[in-house]
mmCIF file of all heavy atoms in Angstrom:
data_model
loop_
_atom_site.group_PDB
_atom_site.id
_atom_site.type_symbol
_atom_site.label_atom_id
_atom_site.label_comp_id
_atom_site.label_asym_id
_atom_site.label_seq_id
_atom_site.Cartn_x
_atom_site.Cartn_y
_atom_site.Cartn_z
ATOM 1 N N LEU A 57 8.194 -53.948 -59.147
ATOM 2 C CA LEU A 57 6.848 -53.379 -59.060
ATOM 3 C C LEU A 57 6.334 -53.262 -57.629
ATOM 4 O O LEU A 57 5.366 -52.549 -57.390
ATOM 5 C CB LEU A 57 5.868 -54.196 -59.902
ATOM 6 C CG LEU A 57 6.067 -54.105 -61.417
ATOM 7 C CD1 LEU A 57 5.066 -55.009 -62.134
ATOM 8 C CD2 LEU A 57 5.963 -52.674 -61.901
ATOM 9 N N MET A 58 6.995 -53.928 -56.702
ATOM 10 C CA MET A 58 6.584 -53.797 -55.302
ATOM 11 C C MET A 58 6.840 -52.387 -54.783
ATOM 12 O O MET A 58 6.157 -51.934 -53.872
ATOM 13 C CB MET A 58 7.307 -54.836 -54.438
ATOM 14 C CG MET A 58 6.859 -56.253 -54.729
ATOM 15 S SD MET A 58 7.732 -57.467 -53.740
ATOM 16 C CE MET A 58 6.979 -57.188 -52.158
ATOM 17 N N THR A 59 7.816 -51.694 -55.367
ATOM 18 C CA THR A 59 8.151 -50.356 -54.885
ATOM 19 C C THR A 59 8.177 -49.293 -55.982
ATOM 20 O O THR A 59 8.275 -48.111 -55.678
ATOM 21 C CB THR A 59 9.534 -50.358 -54.189
ATOM 22 O OG1 THR A 59 10.516 -50.822 -55.109
ATOM 23 C CG2 THR A 59 9.522 -51.240 -52.952
ATOM 24 N N CYS A 60 8.114 -49.715 -57.236
ATOM 25 C CA CYS A 60 8.265 -48.772 -58.346
ATOM 26 C C CYS A 60 7.178 -49.008 -59.399
ATOM 27 O O CYS A 60 6.441 -49.981 -59.338
ATOM 28 C CB CYS A 60 9.630 -48.938 -58.997
ATOM 29 S SG CYS A 60 11.028 -48.734 -57.888
ATOM 30 N N SER A 61 7.156 -48.142 -60.394
ATOM 31 C CA SER A 61 6.164 -48.229 -61.467
ATOM 32 C C SER A 61 6.632 -49.160 -62.595
ATOM 33 O O SER A 61 7.799 -49.544 -62.658
ATOM 34 C CB SER A 61 5.938 -46.837 -62.056
ATOM 35 O OG SER A 61 7.102 -46.403 -62.736
ATOM 36 N N SER A 62 5.710 -49.445 -63.499
ATOM 37 C CA SER A 62 6.051 -50.238 -64.687
ATOM 38 C C SER A 62 7.085 -49.514 -65.543
ATOM 39 O O SER A 62 7.980 -50.146 -66.107
ATOM 40 C CB SER A 62 4.801 -50.507 -65.531
ATOM 41 O OG SER A 62 3.938 -51.389 -64.871
ATOM 42 N N ALA A 63 6.965 -48.205 -65.626
ATOM 43 C CA ALA A 63 7.939 -47.430 -66.410
ATOM 44 C C ALA A 63 9.340 -47.591 -65.836
ATOM 45 O O ALA A 63 10.318 -47.730 -66.573
ATOM 46 C CB ALA A 63 7.536 -45.959 -66.441
ATOM 47 N N THR A 64 9.436 -47.604 -64.521
ATOM 48 C CA THR A 64 10.738 -47.804 -63.878
ATOM 49 C C THR A 64 11.255 -49.205 -64.163
ATOM 50 O O THR A 64 12.449 -49.383 -64.442
ATOM 51 C CB THR A 64 10.633 -47.556 -62.363
ATOM 52 O OG1 THR A 64 10.201 -46.215 -62.149
ATOM 53 C CG2 THR A 64 11.954 -47.788 -61.661
ATOM 54 N N ALA A 65 10.391 -50.185 -64.115
ATOM 55 C CA ALA A 65 10.798 -51.563 -64.408
ATOM 56 C C ALA A 65 11.319 -51.672 -65.838
ATOM 57 O O ALA A 65 12.358 -52.300 -66.087
ATOM 58 C CB ALA A 65 9.641 -52.528 -64.178
ATOM 59 N N ARG A 66 10.618 -51.057 -66.776
ATOM 60 C CA ARG A 66 11.075 -51.083 -68.173
ATOM 61 C C ARG A 66 12.444 -50.420 -68.305
ATOM 62 O O ARG A 66 13.343 -50.954 -68.952
ATOM 63 C CB ARG A 66 10.052 -50.380 -69.075
ATOM 64 C CG ARG A 66 8.812 -51.194 -69.346
ATOM 65 C CD ARG A 66 7.939 -50.563 -70.413
ATOM 66 N NE ARG A 66 7.391 -49.263 -70.027
ATOM 67 C CZ ARG A 66 6.282 -49.091 -69.328
ATOM 68 N NH1 ARG A 66 5.588 -50.149 -68.926
ATOM 69 N NH2 ARG A 66 5.849 -47.891 -69.034
ATOM 70 N N SER A 67 12.599 -49.285 -67.674
ATOM 71 C CA SER A 67 13.880 -48.568 -67.731
ATOM 72 C C SER A 67 14.994 -49.385 -67.087
ATOM 73 O O SER A 67 16.126 -49.403 -67.577
ATOM 74 C CB SER A 67 13.771 -47.218 -67.018
ATOM 75 O OG SER A 67 12.887 -46.385 -67.708
ATOM 76 N N TRP A 68 14.672 -50.057 -65.992
ATOM 77 C CA TRP A 68 15.672 -50.863 -65.301
ATOM 78 C C TRP A 68 16.206 -51.964 -66.209
ATOM 79 O O TRP A 68 17.411 -52.223 -66.241
ATOM 80 C CB TRP A 68 15.080 -51.453 -64.014
ATOM 81 C CG TRP A 68 16.070 -52.274 -63.265
ATOM 82 C CD1 TRP A 68 17.029 -51.830 -62.402
ATOM 83 C CD2 TRP A 68 16.230 -53.696 -63.327
ATOM 84 N NE1 TRP A 68 17.772 -52.886 -61.929
ATOM 85 C CE2 TRP A 68 17.300 -54.038 -62.474
ATOM 86 C CE3 TRP A 68 15.566 -54.702 -64.018
ATOM 87 C CZ2 TRP A 68 17.721 -55.349 -62.299
ATOM 88 C CZ3 TRP A 68 15.984 -56.027 -63.845
ATOM 89 C CH2 TRP A 68 17.051 -56.335 -62.990
ATOM 90 N N PHE A 69 15.338 -52.607 -66.953
ATOM 91 C CA PHE A 69 15.775 -53.704 -67.816
ATOM 92 C C PHE A 69 16.733 -53.250 -68.909
ATOM 93 O O PHE A 69 17.618 -54.001 -69.306
ATOM 94 C CB PHE A 69 14.581 -54.423 -68.456
ATOM 95 C CG PHE A 69 14.099 -55.597 -67.672
ATOM 96 C CD1 PHE A 69 13.034 -55.473 -66.809
ATOM 97 C CD2 PHE A 69 14.719 -56.830 -67.785
ATOM 98 C CE1 PHE A 69 12.586 -56.546 -66.063
ATOM 99 C CE2 PHE A 69 14.287 -57.919 -67.044
ATOM 100 C CZ PHE A 69 13.222 -57.776 -66.183
ATOM 101 N N VAL A 70 16.589 -52.036 -69.407
ATOM 102 C CA VAL A 70 17.434 -51.598 -70.522
ATOM 103 C C VAL A 70 18.607 -50.725 -70.090
ATOM 104 O O VAL A 70 19.535 -50.497 -70.864
ATOM 105 C CB VAL A 70 16.604 -50.875 -71.611
ATOM 106 C CG1 VAL A 70 15.594 -51.825 -72.220
ATOM 107 C CG2 VAL A 70 15.938 -49.633 -71.076
ATOM 108 N N GLY A 71 18.602 -50.248 -68.846
ATOM 109 C CA GLY A 71 19.696 -49.418 -68.362
ATOM 110 C C GLY A 71 20.833 -50.246 -67.797
ATOM 111 O O GLY A 71 20.688 -51.432 -67.503
ATOM 112 N N CYS A 72 21.985 -49.621 -67.673
ATOM 113 C CA CYS A 72 23.144 -50.306 -67.096
ATOM 114 C C CYS A 72 22.951 -50.461 -65.590
ATOM 115 O O CYS A 72 22.405 -49.582 -64.937
ATOM 116 C CB CYS A 72 24.415 -49.511 -67.354
ATOM 117 S SG CYS A 72 24.868 -49.511 -69.084
ATOM 118 N N SER A 73 23.396 -51.571 -65.064
ATOM 119 C CA SER A 73 23.260 -51.852 -63.640
ATOM 120 C C SER A 73 24.632 -52.098 -63.021
ATOM 121 O O SER A 73 25.382 -52.958 -63.492
ATOM 122 C CB SER A 73 22.378 -53.091 -63.428
ATOM 123 O OG SER A 73 22.398 -53.496 -62.074
ATOM 124 N N SER A 74 24.930 -51.354 -61.975
ATOM 125 C CA SER A 74 26.204 -51.573 -61.273
ATOM 126 C C SER A 74 26.254 -52.968 -60.662
ATOM 127 O O SER A 74 27.324 -53.552 -60.518
ATOM 128 C CB SER A 74 26.407 -50.510 -60.193
ATOM 129 O OG SER A 74 25.366 -50.570 -59.228
ATOM 130 N N ARG A 75 25.102 -53.513 -60.330
ATOM 131 C CA ARG A 75 25.045 -54.857 -59.748
ATOM 132 C C ARG A 75 25.340 -55.957 -60.773
ATOM 133 O O ARG A 75 25.531 -57.107 -60.408
ATOM 134 C CB ARG A 75 23.673 -55.091 -59.130
ATOM 135 C CG ARG A 75 23.411 -54.279 -57.898
ATOM 136 C CD ARG A 75 22.004 -54.573 -57.361
ATOM 137 N NE ARG A 75 21.795 -53.924 -56.095
ATOM 138 C CZ ARG A 75 21.336 -52.686 -55.951
ATOM 139 N NH1 ARG A 75 21.029 -51.973 -57.010
ATOM 140 N NH2 ARG A 75 21.170 -52.162 -54.751
ATOM 141 N N LEU A 76 25.326 -55.577 -62.036
ATOM 142 C CA LEU A 76 25.561 -56.557 -63.113
ATOM 143 C C LEU A 76 26.792 -56.184 -63.935
ATOM 144 O O LEU A 76 26.870 -56.488 -65.127
ATOM 145 C CB LEU A 76 24.320 -56.641 -64.012
ATOM 146 C CG LEU A 76 23.057 -57.159 -63.344
ATOM 147 C CD1 LEU A 76 21.852 -56.977 -64.251
ATOM 148 C CD2 LEU A 76 23.217 -58.612 -62.932
ATOM 149 N N GLY A 77 27.740 -55.525 -63.305
ATOM 150 C CA GLY A 77 28.967 -55.171 -64.001
ATOM 151 C C GLY A 77 28.768 -54.093 -65.057
ATOM 152 O O GLY A 77 29.468 -54.084 -66.077
ATOM 153 N N TYR A 78 27.817 -53.222 -64.826
ATOM 154 C CA TYR A 78 27.521 -52.100 -65.723
ATOM 155 C C TYR A 78 27.067 -52.527 -67.115
ATOM 156 O O TYR A 78 27.372 -51.869 -68.110
ATOM 157 C CB TYR A 78 28.693 -51.110 -65.771
ATOM 158 C CG TYR A 78 28.887 -50.459 -64.430
ATOM 159 C CD1 TYR A 78 29.817 -50.954 -63.530
ATOM 160 C CD2 TYR A 78 28.082 -49.395 -64.039
ATOM 161 C CE1 TYR A 78 29.970 -50.388 -62.267
ATOM 162 C CE2 TYR A 78 28.228 -48.822 -62.779
ATOM 163 C CZ TYR A 78 29.172 -49.320 -61.901
ATOM 164 O OH TYR A 78 29.305 -48.767 -60.652
ATOM 165 N N VAL A 79 26.364 -53.630 -67.168
ATOM 166 C CA VAL A 79 25.640 -54.014 -68.377
ATOM 167 C C VAL A 79 24.164 -54.040 -68.022
ATOM 168 O O VAL A 79 23.790 -54.070 -66.844
ATOM 169 C CB VAL A 79 26.094 -55.376 -68.961
ATOM 170 C CG1 VAL A 79 27.536 -55.335 -69.394
ATOM 171 C CG2 VAL A 79 25.863 -56.493 -67.983
ATOM 172 N N SER A 80 23.319 -54.053 -69.016
ATOM 173 C CA SER A 80 21.884 -54.027 -68.738
ATOM 174 C C SER A 80 21.370 -55.403 -68.329
ATOM 175 O O SER A 80 21.893 -56.429 -68.784
ATOM 176 C CB SER A 80 21.111 -53.537 -69.966
ATOM 177 O OG SER A 80 21.117 -54.527 -70.973
ATOM 178 N N PRO A 81 20.345 -55.425 -67.481
ATOM 179 C CA PRO A 81 19.711 -56.701 -67.149
ATOM 180 C C PRO A 81 19.221 -57.431 -68.406
ATOM 181 O O PRO A 81 19.288 -58.659 -68.478
ATOM 182 C CB PRO A 81 18.552 -56.293 -66.242
ATOM 183 C CG PRO A 81 19.024 -55.017 -65.616
ATOM 184 C CD PRO A 81 19.799 -54.317 -66.699
ATOM 185 N N LEU A 82 18.788 -56.666 -69.398
ATOM 186 C CA LEU A 82 18.348 -57.269 -70.651
ATOM 187 C C LEU A 82 19.472 -58.082 -71.295
ATOM 188 O O LEU A 82 19.260 -59.218 -71.721
ATOM 189 C CB LEU A 82 17.861 -56.180 -71.614
ATOM 190 C CG LEU A 82 17.410 -56.642 -72.991
ATOM 191 C CD1 LEU A 82 16.227 -57.598 -72.882
ATOM 192 C CD2 LEU A 82 17.062 -55.444 -73.851
ATOM 193 N N GLU A 83 20.663 -57.529 -71.333
ATOM 194 C CA GLU A 83 21.793 -58.255 -71.920
ATOM 195 C C GLU A 83 22.109 -59.524 -71.139
ATOM 196 O O GLU A 83 22.393 -60.572 -71.727
ATOM 197 C CB GLU A 83 23.037 -57.377 -71.951
ATOM 198 C CG GLU A 83 22.978 -56.247 -72.949
ATOM 199 C CD GLU A 83 24.213 -55.390 -72.885
ATOM 200 O OE1 GLU A 83 25.295 -55.905 -73.242
ATOM 201 O OE2 GLU A 83 24.107 -54.223 -72.474
ATOM 202 N N VAL A 84 22.070 -59.433 -69.823
ATOM 203 C CA VAL A 84 22.405 -60.584 -68.987
ATOM 204 C C VAL A 84 21.354 -61.681 -69.131
ATOM 205 O O VAL A 84 21.693 -62.857 -69.287
ATOM 206 C CB VAL A 84 22.578 -60.168 -67.510
ATOM 207 C CG1 VAL A 84 22.815 -61.377 -66.624
ATOM 208 C CG2 VAL A 84 23.731 -59.179 -67.376
ATOM 209 N N ILE A 85 20.091 -61.312 -69.109
ATOM 210 C CA ILE A 85 19.036 -62.338 -69.177
ATOM 211 C C ILE A 85 18.990 -62.976 -70.561
ATOM 212 O O ILE A 85 18.613 -64.139 -70.698
ATOM 213 C CB ILE A 85 17.676 -61.758 -68.736
ATOM 214 C CG1 ILE A 85 16.801 -62.866 -68.169
ATOM 215 C CG2 ILE A 85 16.977 -61.020 -69.864
ATOM 216 C CD1 ILE A 85 15.648 -62.389 -67.343
ATOM 217 N N ARG A 86 19.400 -62.248 -71.581
ATOM 218 C CA ARG A 86 19.417 -62.802 -72.939
ATOM 219 C C ARG A 86 20.481 -63.881 -73.116
ATOM 220 O O ARG A 86 20.419 -64.670 -74.058
ATOM 221 C CB ARG A 86 19.632 -61.691 -73.959
ATOM 222 C CG ARG A 86 18.400 -60.819 -74.117
ATOM 223 C CD ARG A 86 18.640 -59.700 -75.056
ATOM 224 N NE ARG A 86 18.620 -60.246 -76.421
ATOM 225 C CZ ARG A 86 18.493 -59.511 -77.496
ATOM 226 N NH1 ARG A 86 18.424 -58.214 -77.396
ATOM 227 N NH2 ARG A 86 18.467 -60.070 -78.683
#
Side-chain angles (χ1 to χ4, degrees):
L57 291 178
M58 292 179 73
T59 58
C60 303
S61 68
S62 291
T64 300
R66 284 189 296 275
S67 294
W68 181 83
F69 267 97
V70 297
C72 291
S73 171
S74 61
R75 291 179 173 88
L76 296 170
Y78 295 96
V79 297
S80 72
L82 178 61
E83 289 178 67
V84 175
I85 207 162
R86 287 177 76 164

